[in-house]
Amino acid sequence: MSTSKNAKVGLFFGSFNPVHIGHLIIANYMATQTDLKEVWLVVSPQNPLKSKQSLARDQDRLHLVRIAIDDNLKLRASDIEFSLLQPSYTIDTLTYLRERHPEKQFVLIMGGDNLPTLNKWKNYELILRDFELYVYNRPGYALGELENHPQVRVFDKVPQMQISASYIRESIANGLPIQYLVTDPVLKYLESSGLYKNNRKKE
């Protein structure tokens, strides 16, 4: 059984709408400075707690993640949730991936701002029972009572940038530059595709 669980894979869920360097810095840190073998960026088609109004098409967001990490062998884009029932819930995705890849040990990566509200997630008890959580501490957020849970590992030194995808979308819609906020391949695709250009500040 020990050999079947050798490959420890981190799952970094998100809308990635669009993916930006803040996402990539966190994913790369987890992939290179922890015991994870690799990190999968799982593009979510619909977050049950968020409106779908501002989401770009699933395939566009997936493509942006793929071209953003194309040169990093320890990062991978995953569209696994596209084929699952929507809205997508983390426990369902985790369970499906474990059944599909019994040779891998999946770890859930999340920000410290999400840990205190984990008890609002579907079947959160099963997540804590069956999966490790790698939590990157976010300044200004208390981790809550789950901080010392045996399945939770907190990382305090993960570099973070105050960049939001909504800021990037608003900047594009208003014709403002987003250079350095996204990778060059993502920037070129956004410019050539016109993605988010018709977005308006309605969120």
Side-chain angles (χ1 to χ4, degrees), residues 141-177:
Y141 290 94
L143 294 175
E145 58 186 29
L146 290 176
E147 178 179 2
N148 298 313
H149 192 282
Q151 289 285 77
V152 174
R153 286 184 61 185
V154 178
F155 297 85
D156 291 316
K157 296 182 179 180
V158 182
Q160 293 171 61
M161 308 192 73
Q162 296 300 315
I163 302 172
S164 71
S166 60
Y167 172 79
I168 293 174
R169 295 194 303 270
E170 290 165 13
S171 296
I172 294 172
N174 291 307
L176 300 174

Side-chain angles (χ1 to χ4, degrees), residues 79-123:
D79 63 355
I80 193 66
E81 291 197 331
F82 292 4
S83 59
L84 300 180
L85 288 176
Q86 295 185 26
S88 51
Y89 292 96
T90 303
I91 184 59
D92 297 333
T93 307
L94 290 170
T95 302
Y96 178 79
L97 282 172
R98 188 172 58 175
E99 291 172 354
R100 186 173 176 182
H101 300 283
E103 78 286 359
K104 300 184 188 300
Q105 181 182 351
F106 290 103
V107 173
L108 177 59
I109 298 171
M110 67 162 56
D113 54 327
N114 287 318
L115 191 62
T117 57
L118 185 68
N119 62 351
K120 295 181 180 177
W121 293 26
K122 177 185 175 183
N123 294 343

Side-chain angles (χ1 to χ4, degrees), residues 9-196:
V9 175
L11 300 175
F12 188 19
F13 290 79
S15 299
F16 303 114
N17 189 39
V19 63
H20 54 69
I21 60 170
H23 297 132
L24 302 178
I25 289 170
I26 293 169
N28 190 62
Y29 178 96
M30 290 295 185
T32 60
Q33 300 193 46
T34 71
D35 59 345
L36 298 178
K37 184 175 181 181
E38 58 184 4
V39 169
W40 296 2
L41 285 80
V42 182
V43 182
S44 301
Q46 181 182 353
N47 183 324
L49 302 178
K50 289 184 180 179
S51 165
K52 199 169 180 177
Q53 234 178 2
S54 62
L55 279 183
R57 290 186 313 165
D58 294 346
Q59 293 298 333
D60 279 322
R61 291 180 291 116
L62 177 66
H63 178 68
L64 288 172
V65 172
R66 281 178 172 157
I67 62 176
I69 64 174
D70 185 53
D71 59 347
N72 192 326
L73 296 178
K74 292 182 72 69
L75 301 182
R76 170 178 161 184
S78 172
D79 63 355
I80 193 66
E81 291 197 331
F82 292 4
S83 59
L84 300 180
L85 288 176
Q86 295 185 26
S88 51
Y89 292 96
T90 303
I91 184 59
D92 297 333
T93 307
L94 290 170
T95 302
Y96 178 79
L97 282 172
R98 188 172 58 175
E99 291 172 354
R100 186 173 176 182
H101 300 283
E103 78 286 359
K104 300 184 188 300
Q105 181 182 351
F106 290 103
V107 173
L108 177 59
I109 298 171
M110 67 162 56
D113 54 327
N114 287 318
L115 191 62
T117 57
L118 185 68
N119 62 351
K120 295 181 180 177
W121 293 26
K122 177 185 175 183
N123 294 343
Y124 79 96
E125 305 98 330
L126 296 181
I127 296 177
L128 286 169
R129 186 192 73 185
D130 296 337
F131 300 92
E132 282 187 279
L133 276 63
Y134 282 17
V135 178
Y136 54 94
N137 211 348
R138 299 195 67 174
Y141 290 94
L143 294 175
E145 58 186 29
L146 290 176
E147 178 179 2
N148 298 313
H149 192 282
Q151 289 285 77
V152 174
R153 286 184 61 185
V154 178
F155 297 85
D156 291 316
K157 296 182 179 180
V158 182
Q160 293 171 61
M161 308 192 73
Q162 296 300 315
I163 302 172
S164 71
S166 60
Y167 172 79
I168 293 174
R169 295 194 303 270
E170 290 165 13
S171 296
I172 294 172
N174 291 307
L176 300 174
I178 59 165
Q179 190 177 19
Y180 308 125
L181 300 178
V182 298
T183 64
D184 286 342
V186 169
L187 178 63
K188 288 175 184 175
Y189 183 82
L190 290 173
E191 289 177 340
S192 64
S193 67
L195 203 61
Y196 303 118

